Amino acid sequence: MTVDLTPVTLAEKSMLSNLYQLYHYDFSEYTSEDINQEGKYDVNIDFIWEGDKRWRPYFIMISGTIAGFVIVLLENLDTDPDPTHVIYDFMILKKFRRSGVGYAAAMQIFELYKANWSLAQMESNTPAIAFWQKVLKDYTNDHYTETFRDDARKYIQTFSTKE
């Protein structure tokens, strides 16, 4: 099984938007978000393509099939020539979870950018916390920092892929 990251183009925006519906569905377990009167989650991803160069959307692919997506944000790119890179959103379709796809995709995304990184997970999303702790322990040889922000109720991990 080969996992590939493919940049999402403007022409593929509707596919990513559809995946965001599934992402919000999965996430509603932690956010208690409800669907709207049309039976959808209120999702607008236009900001990714509105001239803001900080956003890097990727499909996570397996043999030409979409298995999920990852959105990287180059935080403060407009004011800092060396921005912190943030995993803004990360989603693996359920049929591909616990198969190593997410792990492989995470490792690849960190290899794409030599940068300072920051990741965050909601306190209640224990599967995501465990996933990222495992990935970061392996990727950094346990050389990352984790803090808990009580005000945001989030775990935040920071590390660097710079040489």
Side-chain angles (χ1 to χ4, degrees):
M1 170 181 63
T2 302
V3 176
D4 294 304
L5 299 175
T6 304
V8 180
T9 66
L10 179 58
E12 297 167 320
K13 177 181 164 186
S14 64
M15 288 191 320
L16 182 61
S17 185
N18 290 339
L19 287 172
Y20 259 99
Q21 288 293 317
L22 300 174
Y23 179 70
H24 278 255
Y25 169 76
D26 283 352
F27 224 64
S28 69
E29 177 179 353
Y30 308 106
T31 64
S32 299
E33 181 181 8
D34 291 320
I35 55 174
N36 62 26
Q37 295 299 317
E38 296 173 349
K40 295 181 176 181
Y41 290 94
D42 291 321
V43 176
N44 183 341
I45 60 170
D46 290 342
F47 62 92
I48 294 174
W49 286 277
E50 291 180 338
D52 188 341
K53 306 274 189 233
R54 299 176 305 153
W55 298 98
R56 304 291 191 275
Y58 296 90
F59 285 129
I60 299 167
M61 309 289 292
I62 300 174
S63 303
T65 299
I66 296 174
F69 68 86
V70 57
I71 309 295
V72 177
L73 168 63
L74 282 58
E75 195 172 62
N76 300 323
L77 178 64
D78 51 343
T79 59
D80 187 349
D82 186 23
T84 297
H85 289 46
V86 175
I87 299 288
Y88 188 77
D89 287 323
F90 186 89
M91 192 269 276
I92 303 297
L93 293 170
K94 283 193 177 191
K95 83 179 238 181
F96 296 107
R97 291 182 191 165
R98 301 198 182 284
S99 68
V101 171
Y103 183 92
M107 296 293 186
Q108 286 183 38
I109 205 73
F110 297 144
E111 288 297 311
L112 280 180
Y113 301 99
K114 298 302 178 194
N116 294 320
W117 285 89
S118 179
L119 290 81
Q121 305 89 46
M122 296 172 61
E123 176 184 32
S124 58
N125 192 348
T126 55
I129 295 165
F131 170 79
W132 288 111
Q133 287 172 339
K134 165 78 171 127
V135 167
L136 294 179
K137 181 176 182 171
D138 292 351
Y139 186 83
T140 68
N141 291 319
D142 212 14
H143 288 91
Y144 70 97
T145 302
E146 181 174 272
T147 56
F148 179 74
R149 282 200 40 201
D150 198 45
D151 62 327
R153 310 301 302 165
K154 291 185 177 183
Y155 286 91
I156 299 171
Q157 298 89 16
T158 57
F159 66 100
S160 181
T161 57
K162 294 179 179 182
E163 295 176 0

